[in-house]
Amino acid sequence: MILVTGGAGFIGSNFILDWLAESDEPVLNIDALTYAGNTENLASLAGDDRYVFVRGDVCDRPLLDSLFATHAPRAVVHFAAESHVDRSIHGPAEFIRTNVEGTFTLLEAARSHWSNLPDAERQAFRFLHVSTDEVYGTLARDDAPFCETDTYEPNSPYSASKAASDHLVRAWHHTYGLPVVTTNCSNNYGPFHFPEKLVPLMIVNALARKPLPVYGDGLQVRDWLYVKDHCAAVRLVLARGQIGATYNVGGWNEKPNLEIVGTVCALLDEMQPHPDGSYAHLITHVPDRPGHDRRYAIDARKIERDLGWRPAETFESGLRKTVRWYLDSADWLARVQTGAYRQWVSANYDQRGA
Ligand code: NAD
Ligand code: TYD
């Protein structure tokens, strides 16, 4: 079986659903169920004996040791993290704990398990670390997209904590020989995305006829990838990635935030028109995020050349599926907008006047 961490979050739950749709190899999911973890994402796996869930913290070494001993996974796919830049600005401590200390603890538990395996199993073992393009810092308008050899220049507490975790993973390979691979992916969007990030927040606010809060001038650029394309890349890197290597994963799809929000509004206008007119009238510019990175862009040629991966979805097809999913998932959306969610929205947006 494989051990997945953070599998109740956005990307992890998509990964587990896709994994079990494509293979019969069981999955052990360890997730602390923070505000971002939601077992409802995996409700369709109820009664499926290929899926085991354990509520637990990646900083809990005794728990990790017992899970490795009991289940003897052949690989680890490490998604668990605090993942939201704005939250990292409001409270960085949890980012250091989960992303740095948690990755360290998981590496140590994996190393202990791996080093006691018989030869063939030791060679086949993999530790796949899921990371972000944000570790590379920000790009000027005409800079070349990030490639795997670029210098790390993280700018937010989130990206700094992910950069630190990437360095630990690298060091555990170089020092101890742990067979690791790392992926650095661009911004994902798709089903089960918690509505604190740009795309789902805009959908949720638009449906509630609330302002659509665009930070600053809205011309910051991100590279957007449909989540299931990211999951396919992770599966491929796990199967065929070169030990010790890193792979940049991106959609070849750079867009300014205003265009993303405009496209979300246009899709909603088409799929669920409102009598008061276009959702785009709700777009509101609000004060910018401190230290806001201006542009991210991924050069994904290495994973294409070495492993044959390319995104299957275009931005248009992926975003259309995403908006459709949110329109069809009103109950899911209502249930994730708990009191804690409303508190976060108030903490992040009230001071911005949105
Ligand atoms: P998410 O915030 O939706 O989910 C994170 C999951 O980790 C949640 O289920 C949460 O309960 C769990 N978790 C948090 N702390 C934990 C702990 N201490 N122990 C165990 N579980 C814990 O995040 P996501 O968007 O699904 O991102 C998954 C991974 O992919 C992260 O490592 C992130 O850095 C990386 N990534 C995300 C994106 C993106 O656009 N979302 C892009 C590139 C890389
Ligand atoms: P986000 O989804 O938080 O991802 P990241 O910061 O990791 O790239 O934000 C994507 C972009 O959208 C980023 O430039 C910040 C911007 N943004 C807004 O303009 N308004 C918002 O309310 C949010 C959440 C993000």
Side-chain angles (χ1 to χ4, degrees), residues 84-86 134 187 196-198 201-202 213-215 220 222 224 257 289 292 296 349:
H84 187 29
V85 174
D86 291 316
E134 304 192 23
N187 286 55
E196 63 182 357
K197 307 275 173 67
L198 182 72
L201 182 102
M202 294 300 163
V214 171
Y215 295 163
Q220 305 85 358
R222 300 289 183 265
W224 294 90
N257 293 338
R289 173 189 279 174
H292 198 170
Y296 304 139
Y349 295 100

Side-chain angles (χ1 to χ4, degrees), residues 5-14 29-39 41 54-60 78-84 94 97-99 102 129-134 158 162 165 183-189 192-194 196-197 223-225 227 230 249:
T5 72
F10 163 48
I11 305 175
S13 53
N14 277 288
N29 174 18
I30 164 168
D31 194 299
L33 298 183
T34 68
Y35 79 91
N38 185 353
T39 51
N41 299 357
V54 173
R55 183 172 190 175
D57 192 322
V58 288
C59 297
D60 183 344
H78 180 34
F79 292 100
E82 288 292 331
S83 68
H84 187 29
E94 199 54 28
R97 199 188 76 84
T98 286
N99 300 1
H129 177 57
V130 179
S131 192
T132 167
D133 60 354
E134 304 192 23
Y158 164 65
K162 290 297 290 187
S165 68
T183 54
N184 293 90
C185 188
S186 60
N187 286 55
N188 286 210
Y189 63 95
F192 303 115
H193 207 181
F194 191 74
E196 63 182 357
K197 307 275 173 67
D223 170 81
W224 294 90
L225 180 68
V227 63
H230 183 192
V249 184

Side-chain angles (χ1 to χ4, degrees), residues 299-315:
D299 179 338
R301 279 178 297 180
K302 177 179 173 183
I303 188 169
E304 176 168 5
R305 187 185 61 237
D306 292 1
L307 303 180
W309 176 88
R310 263 192 86 83
E313 298 290 343
T314 64
F315 182 64

Side-chain angles (χ1 to χ4, degrees), residues 4 73 139 180 225 239 257 324:
V4 170
L139 292 169
V180 307
L225 180 68
N257 293 338
R324 186 73 263 157

